[in-house]
Amino acid sequence: LWREKGGDPDLVYTVALWGVPAGILGARLYHDVTSWNEVAHNWWGWLAVWQGGLGIWGGIAGGLLGGVIALRREHVSLPLFMDAAAPGLLVAQAIGRVGNYFNQELFGGPTSLPWGLQISPEHRPAGYMAYTTFHPTFLYELIWDLALAAVLVWVIHHRRIRPPGIFALYVTGYSAFRIFEELLRVDPAHHILGERLNFWVACLLTLAGVAWFAYSQRDTGSDQAPLSTGTAGALDP
Protein backbone atom coordinates (compact mmCIF):
# COMPACT_ATOMS: atom_id res chain seq x y z
CA LEU A 1 0.00 0.00 0.00
CA TRP A 2 2.86 2.40 0.72
CA ARG A 3 4.41 1.56 -2.65
CA GLU A 4 1.10 2.33 -4.33
CA LYS A 5 1.22 5.79 -2.79
CA GLY A 6 4.62 6.33 -4.40
CA GLY A 7 6.62 5.64 -1.26
CA ASP A 8 9.82 3.67 -0.80
CA PRO A 9 8.93 0.15 0.47
CA ASP A 10 12.21 -0.04 2.41
CA LEU A 11 10.90 2.73 4.65
CA VAL A 12 8.35 0.26 6.05
CA TYR A 13 11.16 -1.87 7.49
CA THR A 14 12.86 1.19 8.96
CA VAL A 15 9.63 2.25 10.64
CA ALA A 16 9.15 -1.29 11.97
CA LEU A 17 12.62 -1.26 13.53
CA TRP A 18 11.53 1.75 15.58
CA GLY A 19 7.85 0.98 15.98
CA VAL A 20 7.92 -2.66 17.09
CA PRO A 21 10.20 -2.22 20.15
CA ALA A 22 8.39 1.00 21.07
CA GLY A 23 5.07 -0.80 20.68
CA ILE A 24 6.13 -3.64 22.99
CA LEU A 25 7.30 -1.13 25.58
CA GLY A 26 4.09 0.87 25.28
CA ALA A 27 1.97 -2.28 25.56
CA ARG A 28 3.82 -3.32 28.70
CA LEU A 29 3.55 0.11 30.31
CA TYR A 30 -0.19 0.15 29.63
CA HIS A 31 -0.49 -3.21 31.36
CA ASP A 32 1.60 -1.99 34.29
CA VAL A 33 -0.65 1.03 34.78
CA THR A 34 -4.01 -0.69 34.32
CA SER A 35 -3.17 -4.06 35.97
CA TRP A 36 -0.66 -3.03 38.61
CA ASN A 37 -1.72 -5.84 40.93
CA GLU A 38 -0.44 -8.42 38.42
CA VAL A 39 3.06 -6.93 38.16
CA ALA A 40 5.83 -8.80 39.97
CA HIS A 41 7.09 -6.91 43.03
CA ASN A 42 10.75 -6.58 42.07
CA TRP A 43 12.86 -4.10 40.14
CA TRP A 44 12.41 -5.81 36.78
CA GLY A 45 8.75 -6.80 37.16
CA TRP A 46 7.47 -3.84 35.15
CA LEU A 47 9.36 -5.18 32.09
CA ALA A 48 8.65 -8.91 32.50
CA VAL A 49 6.70 -9.45 29.28
CA TRP A 50 7.64 -13.14 29.39
CA GLN A 51 5.30 -13.44 32.38
CA GLY A 52 2.37 -12.11 30.37
CA GLY A 53 0.80 -8.69 30.27
CA LEU A 54 0.64 -6.55 27.12
CA GLY A 55 -2.09 -4.00 26.40
CA ILE A 56 -3.01 -3.32 22.78
CA TRP A 57 -3.88 0.31 23.43
CA GLY A 58 -0.40 1.02 24.74
CA GLY A 59 1.10 -1.01 21.90
CA ILE A 60 -0.63 1.14 19.29
CA ALA A 61 0.37 4.37 21.03
CA GLY A 62 3.97 3.27 21.56
CA GLY A 63 4.34 1.92 18.04
CA LEU A 64 2.95 5.14 16.62
CA LEU A 65 5.40 7.25 18.61
CA GLY A 66 8.30 5.02 17.56
CA GLY A 67 7.27 5.18 13.93
CA VAL A 68 7.05 8.96 14.08
CA ILE A 69 10.77 9.11 14.86
CA ALA A 70 11.69 7.24 11.68
CA LEU A 71 9.21 9.15 9.53
CA ARG A 72 10.33 12.53 10.80
CA ARG A 73 13.95 11.66 10.11
CA GLU A 74 13.01 10.89 6.51
CA HIS A 75 10.69 13.92 6.26
CA VAL A 76 7.81 11.70 5.17
CA SER A 77 4.13 12.53 5.62
CA LEU A 78 2.94 10.87 8.82
CA PRO A 79 -0.80 10.88 7.90
CA LEU A 80 -0.17 9.16 4.55
CA PHE A 81 2.00 6.48 6.10
CA MET A 82 -0.51 5.86 8.90
CA ASP A 83 -3.23 5.20 6.33
CA ALA A 84 -1.03 2.74 4.46
CA ALA A 85 -0.10 0.93 7.68
CA ALA A 86 -3.59 0.61 9.20
CA PRO A 87 -4.73 -2.61 7.41
CA GLY A 88 -1.42 -4.32 8.19
CA LEU A 89 -1.74 -3.44 11.87
CA LEU A 90 -5.11 -5.17 11.97
CA VAL A 91 -3.67 -8.29 10.34
CA ALA A 92 -0.83 -8.27 12.89
CA GLN A 93 -3.31 -7.97 15.76
CA ALA A 94 -5.28 -10.90 14.34
CA ILE A 95 -2.15 -13.05 14.25
CA GLY A 96 -1.33 -12.06 17.81
CA ARG A 97 -4.72 -13.30 19.02
CA VAL A 98 -3.76 -16.84 18.00
CA GLY A 99 -1.51 -16.90 21.07
CA ASN A 100 -4.56 -16.48 23.31
CA TYR A 101 -5.83 -19.84 22.06
CA PHE A 102 -2.68 -21.71 23.02
CA ASN A 103 -2.48 -19.92 26.37
CA GLN A 104 -6.20 -20.45 27.08
CA GLU A 105 -6.64 -16.82 28.07
CA LEU A 106 -8.81 -13.77 27.39
CA PHE A 107 -11.95 -15.76 26.65
CA GLY A 108 -15.58 -14.87 27.30
CA GLY A 109 -18.31 -16.23 29.51
CA PRO A 110 -19.73 -19.77 29.42
CA THR A 111 -21.56 -20.81 26.25
CA SER A 112 -23.16 -23.91 24.75
CA LEU A 113 -22.66 -22.72 21.19
CA PRO A 114 -21.01 -25.23 18.81
CA TRP A 115 -17.83 -23.14 18.61
CA GLY A 116 -17.49 -22.83 22.39
CA LEU A 117 -13.91 -23.28 23.53
CA GLN A 118 -13.06 -25.93 26.11
CA ILE A 119 -10.94 -24.43 28.87
CA SER A 120 -8.87 -26.48 31.31
CA PRO A 121 -9.87 -26.11 34.99
CA GLU A 122 -6.59 -24.40 35.90
CA HIS A 123 -7.31 -21.61 33.43
CA ARG A 124 -10.90 -20.91 34.45
CA PRO A 125 -11.57 -17.77 36.49
CA ALA A 126 -12.94 -17.97 40.00
CA GLY A 127 -16.64 -18.70 39.96
CA TYR A 128 -16.56 -20.53 36.62
CA MET A 129 -15.15 -23.88 37.65
CA ALA A 130 -18.45 -25.66 36.92
CA TYR A 131 -18.36 -24.63 33.25
CA THR A 132 -16.27 -26.25 30.52
CA THR A 133 -16.88 -24.28 27.29
CA PHE A 134 -16.53 -20.52 26.90
CA HIS A 135 -16.87 -17.84 24.23
CA PRO A 136 -13.61 -17.66 22.21
CA THR A 137 -13.58 -13.85 22.22
CA PHE A 138 -10.08 -13.79 20.79
CA LEU A 139 -11.40 -15.72 17.78
CA TYR A 140 -14.20 -13.19 17.37
CA GLU A 141 -11.62 -10.41 17.39
CA LEU A 142 -9.37 -12.27 14.96
CA ILE A 143 -12.22 -12.55 12.45
CA TRP A 144 -13.23 -8.93 12.99
CA ASP A 145 -9.67 -7.66 12.53
CA LEU A 146 -9.25 -9.48 9.22
CA ALA A 147 -12.66 -8.35 7.99
CA LEU A 148 -11.98 -4.73 8.96
CA ALA A 149 -8.56 -4.87 7.28
CA ALA A 150 -10.24 -6.06 4.06
CA VAL A 151 -12.81 -3.27 4.30
CA LEU A 152 -10.11 -0.64 4.76
CA VAL A 153 -8.17 -1.93 1.76
CA TRP A 154 -11.36 -1.74 -0.30
CA VAL A 155 -12.01 1.82 0.90
CA ILE A 156 -8.44 2.82 0.04
CA HIS A 157 -8.91 1.63 -3.54
CA HIS A 158 -12.49 2.77 -4.12
CA ARG A 159 -13.03 5.94 -2.09
CA ARG A 160 -11.23 9.25 -1.75
CA ILE A 161 -10.39 9.56 1.94
CA ARG A 162 -8.18 12.35 3.18
CA PRO A 163 -5.33 11.11 5.37
CA PRO A 164 -5.29 10.06 8.15
CA GLY A 165 -8.94 9.11 7.64
CA ILE A 166 -8.18 5.43 7.09
CA PHE A 167 -6.24 5.26 10.35
CA ALA A 168 -9.10 7.02 12.12
CA LEU A 169 -11.50 4.40 10.74
CA TYR A 170 -9.13 1.71 12.03
CA VAL A 171 -9.22 3.21 15.51
CA THR A 172 -13.00 3.58 15.36
CA GLY A 173 -13.72 0.10 14.00
CA TYR A 174 -11.37 -1.77 16.29
CA SER A 175 -12.45 0.14 19.39
CA ALA A 176 -16.15 -0.33 18.61
CA PHE A 177 -15.67 -4.09 18.46
CA ARG A 178 -13.75 -4.05 21.73
CA ILE A 179 -16.85 -2.61 23.42
CA PHE A 180 -18.71 -5.78 22.46
CA GLU A 181 -15.76 -8.00 23.34
CA GLU A 182 -15.24 -6.47 26.77
CA LEU A 183 -18.87 -7.18 27.63
CA LEU A 184 -18.21 -10.89 27.03
CA ARG A 185 -14.82 -11.37 28.65
CA VAL A 186 -14.56 -12.83 32.16
CA ASP A 187 -10.82 -12.70 32.83
CA PRO A 188 -9.76 -10.61 35.86
CA ALA A 189 -9.84 -6.85 35.27
CA HIS A 190 -10.31 -3.59 37.12
CA HIS A 191 -13.87 -2.27 36.97
CA ILE A 192 -15.30 1.24 36.90
CA LEU A 193 -19.04 1.73 37.44
CA GLY A 194 -19.56 -1.98 37.07
CA GLU A 195 -17.80 -2.32 33.71
CA ARG A 196 -14.28 -3.39 32.82
CA LEU A 197 -11.70 -0.62 32.49
CA ASN A 198 -11.02 -1.48 28.85
CA PHE A 199 -14.74 -1.18 28.11
CA TRP A 200 -14.55 2.50 28.98
CA VAL A 201 -11.28 2.93 27.10
CA ALA A 202 -12.90 1.37 24.02
CA CYS A 203 -15.91 3.69 24.33
CA LEU A 204 -13.69 6.77 24.55
CA LEU A 205 -11.54 5.70 21.62
CA THR A 206 -14.58 4.92 19.48
CA LEU A 207 -15.89 8.43 20.03
CA ALA A 208 -12.40 9.88 19.50
CA GLY A 209 -12.02 7.89 16.27
CA VAL A 210 -15.33 9.18 14.90
CA ALA A 211 -14.40 12.76 15.78
CA TRP A 212 -10.91 12.31 14.30
CA PHE A 213 -12.33 10.94 11.05
CA ALA A 214 -14.85 13.79 10.75
CA TYR A 215 -12.12 16.35 11.48
CA SER A 216 -9.71 14.80 8.96
CA GLN A 217 -12.32 14.89 6.21
CA ARG A 218 -13.22 18.54 6.59
CA ASP A 219 -12.77 20.64 3.45
CA THR A 220 -9.29 22.16 3.60
CA GLY A 221 -8.95 22.87 -0.10
CA SER A 222 -6.62 19.93 -0.81
CA ASP A 223 -7.42 16.26 -1.32
CA GLN A 224 -4.14 14.73 -0.16
CA ALA A 225 -1.04 15.59 1.83
CA PRO A 226 2.30 15.41 0.01
CA LEU A 227 4.43 12.32 0.50
CA SER A 228 7.34 14.38 1.70
CA THR A 229 7.07 17.04 4.38
CA GLY A 230 10.39 18.61 3.47
CA THR A 231 13.24 18.55 0.99
CA ALA A 232 15.57 16.14 2.76
CA GLY A 233 14.73 12.54 2.03
CA ALA A 234 11.89 13.52 -0.30
CA LEU A 235 10.21 10.72 -2.18
CA ASP A 236 9.27 10.75 -5.83
CA PRO A 237 5.49 10.77 -6.36
Side-chain angles (χ1 to χ4, degrees):
L1 288 173
W2 183 238
R3 183 189 293 110
E4 289 178 2
K5 293 179 180 293
D8 179 4
D10 288 339
L11 179 62
V12 176
Y13 299 102
T14 302
V15 171
L17 287 174
W18 286 86
V20 171
I24 294 174
L25 178 60
R28 181 60 185 183
L29 291 177
Y30 181 88
H31 171 78
D32 291 342
V33 171
T34 59
S35 302
W36 60 88
N37 57 306
E38 299 178 19
V39 179
H41 297 295
N42 48 55
W43 71 267
W44 46 263
W46 68 281
L47 280 174
V49 295
W50 56 90
Q51 294 182 354
L54 293 172
I56 186 62
W57 312 116
I60 295 172
L64 181 61
L65 291 175
V68 165
I69 296 175
L71 294 172
R72 290 306 185 196
R73 292 177 63 181
E74 298 294 332
H75 301 276
V76 170
S77 168
L78 176 61
L80 275 178
F81 192 91
M82 290 168 62
D83 277 4
L89 292 176
L90 283 165
V91 174
Q93 289 172 222
I95 295 171
R97 285 306 179 191
V98 176
N100 300 143
Y101 169 77
F102 293 104
N103 292 339
Q104 293 194 26
E105 60 186 0
L106 308 187
F107 46 84
T111 181
S112 58
L113 292 171
W115 54 83
L117 179 69
Q118 187 168 356
I119 299 296
S120 303
E122 61 269 24
H123 295 292
R124 299 172 196 166
Y128 292 91
M129 296 303 294
Y131 302 94
T132 58
T133 55
F134 297 78
H135 280 286
T137 51
F138 50 81
L139 175 61
Y140 301 161
E141 182 181 322
L142 185 155
I143 295 172
W144 175 263
D145 288 348
L146 294 179
L148 183 56
V151 169
L152 293 184
V153 171
W154 184 90
V155 171
I156 288 173
H157 289 114
H158 294 85
R159 294 290 184 268
R160 293 181 64 84
I161 303 294
R162 293 190 178 97
I166 296 297
F167 196 90
L169 289 177
Y170 152 60
V171 172
T172 303
Y174 177 75
S175 301
F177 182 81
R178 278 299 294 265
I179 296 174
F180 162 75
E181 184 179 350
E182 291 297 326
L183 291 173
L184 288 180
R185 281 171 51 170
V186 295
D187 51 290
H190 294 289
H191 287 71
I192 299 176
L193 299 177
E195 298 294 346
R196 297 163 61 89
L197 172 61
N198 279 335
F199 168 85
W200 297 111
V201 174
C203 289
L204 290 175
L205 288 177
T206 299
L207 295 175
V210 171
W212 189 11
F213 178 77
Y215 180 79
S216 69
Q217 301 310 297
R218 72 195 190 286
D219 188 4
T220 59
S222 61
D223 290 332
Q224 179 171 286
L227 264 181
S228 175
T229 58
T231 56
L235 302 177
D236 293 330

